[in-house]
Amino acid sequence: MKLLRAWATLIFLSFSRLLWSASTLMVAFPLLGCALFLVRRHYTFGAAGDDFLTRESAFAAFSEEFVIYLFASFIVPVCALAYGTMSIGGDREDRTLLFLLIRPVPRGMILLAKLLATLPLVVGLVVVSFWSYCKLAGEVGEMALRLYLPMVLFTTIAYVAVFHLFAVTFRHSTIIALVYSLFMELLIGNMPGIIKRVAVNYYGKAMVYDLGSAFGTRVPDPELFVPISAYSASLALLGITLGGILLTMLIFQAREYRDLT
């Protein structure tokens, strides 16, 4: 019973620490920038004329410009790394991880507590922001919200799992995760062939292209980007999530963390 109370307290304290941290301020600026982008870039349609988009072209533009290249490729990984790397990495940098490791709480429960403190915060922030942006975009946003919410959920939890793996593996995990999400994924995700399938954002893009194909969303260049079905992409993201968590637990169990002493 004492162990469960200690575990629940660790979840609550970890959640509070992440919520009231510099990470929250760090993600506030890109989230605000996205809102300003939507205010400036209208995705309206309905009237025939040279200055108006058709329904399909407006939805396709919103899907490609905003959902794929801005939200899924930038906002989701930034929100995930801001909290995913700090859940363990923050304790590691502040050397409070040593205090946790000497407590009579199994390492597996410590890691699970960190995940349970991080996931609701990241998923809640990403989903609420996506819902707000879709409402701000109007009718195309309403369509996108119904179609792409599963993509947002699957990619978010996959990134959280990957960044926890970074946090238990590398000392300066936030910097490494930032380079990975903003440069490596962008580079790998735009390379021809199947190598892009190692990138998380490939599967997010594939889900958008497949789910939005009935409403006008098309792959810009099918020779460079060969999408898979949304079902297969969701399974791949689920596999990345479970594999990332399993590998994170194995490393966290075996790692001595001599840099803490």
Side-chain angles (χ1 to χ4, degrees), residues 124-172:
L125 179 63
V126 170
V127 170
V128 169
S129 61
F130 186 64
W131 178 86
S132 303
Y133 295 145
C134 288
K135 293 292 182 183
L136 192 60
E139 192 168 343
V140 293
E142 299 280 356
M143 295 168 59
L145 180 62
R146 291 193 297 272
L147 282 175
Y148 302 144
L149 189 57
M151 179 277 296
V152 172
L153 289 172
F154 278 109
T155 53
T156 301
I157 60 173
Y159 274 121
V160 169
V162 169
F163 292 141
H164 269 81
L165 176 60
F166 281 21
V168 301
T169 307
F170 305 110
R171 173 71 185 275
H172 302 290

Side-chain angles (χ1 to χ4, degrees), residues 169-190:
T169 307
F170 305 110
R171 173 71 185 275
H172 302 290
S173 57
T174 301
I175 297 174
I176 295 173
L178 193 63
V179 172
Y180 168 78
S181 60
L182 297 185
F183 297 102
M184 294 302 295
E185 281 233 322
L186 182 64
L187 177 65
I188 296 172
N190 288 290

Side-chain angles (χ1 to χ4, degrees), residues 6-255:
W7 186 61
T9 302
L10 178 59
I11 295 174
F12 175 75
L13 291 177
S14 299
F15 180 86
S16 299
R17 184 180 182 183
L18 289 173
L19 180 61
W20 305 110
S21 67
S23 297
T24 301
L25 185 63
M26 187 185 82
V27 300
F29 290 104
L31 290 175
L32 180 60
C34 277
L36 293 176
F37 172 82
L38 285 175
V39 171
R40 295 278 299 175
R41 177 74 167 91
H42 300 288
Y43 294 99
T44 55
F45 65 92
D50 295 338
D51 295 333
F52 290 89
L53 296 172
T54 64
R55 182 190 182 92
E56 284 195 344
S57 61
F59 182 75
F62 180 75
S63 299
E64 186 173 344
E65 292 177 2
F66 182 77
V67 177
I68 291 179
Y69 291 110
L70 193 54
F71 192 81
S73 299
F74 181 69
I75 294 297
V76 174
V78 163
C79 290
L81 82 85
Y83 298 109
T85 56
M86 287 304 295
S87 66
I88 291 287
D91 286 302
R92 196 171 173 182
E93 292 295 330
D94 297 339
R95 297 180 184 271
T96 52
L97 182 59
L98 180 62
F99 174 78
L100 288 177
L101 295 179
I102 61 175
R103 299 287 95 186
V105 179
R107 285 194 177 196
M109 291 184 69
I110 293 175
L111 182 61
L112 186 59
K114 293 295 182 180
L115 278 169
L116 291 177
T118 308
L119 265 179
L121 184 58
V122 179
V123 171
L125 179 63
V126 170
V127 170
V128 169
S129 61
F130 186 64
W131 178 86
S132 303
Y133 295 145
C134 288
K135 293 292 182 183
L136 192 60
E139 192 168 343
V140 293
E142 299 280 356
M143 295 168 59
L145 180 62
R146 291 193 297 272
L147 282 175
Y148 302 144
L149 189 57
M151 179 277 296
V152 172
L153 289 172
F154 278 109
T155 53
T156 301
I157 60 173
Y159 274 121
V160 169
V162 169
F163 292 141
H164 269 81
L165 176 60
F166 281 21
V168 301
T169 307
F170 305 110
R171 173 71 185 275
H172 302 290
S173 57
T174 301
I175 297 174
I176 295 173
L178 193 63
V179 172
Y180 168 78
S181 60
L182 297 185
F183 297 102
M184 294 302 295
E185 281 233 322
L186 182 64
L187 177 65
I188 296 172
N190 288 290
M191 292 181 71
I194 63 172
I195 191 172
K196 59 171 61 68
R197 296 192 182 191
V198 301
V200 173
N201 69 6
Y202 165 79
Y203 299 102
K205 288 181 183 178
M207 289 186 74
V208 171
Y209 287 132
D210 188 35
L211 295 171
S213 61
F215 302 92
T217 304
R218 298 286 183 272
V219 179
D221 190 346
E223 292 186 358
L224 293 178
F225 190 92
V226 181
I228 59 176
S229 68
Y231 178 73
S232 299
S234 62
L235 288 181
L237 289 171
L238 187 59
I240 292 172
T241 301
L242 295 177
I245 291 174
L246 180 61
L247 194 55
T248 302
M249 284 189 169
L250 291 175
I251 294 175
F252 192 63
Q253 286 283 356
R255 194 72 181 267

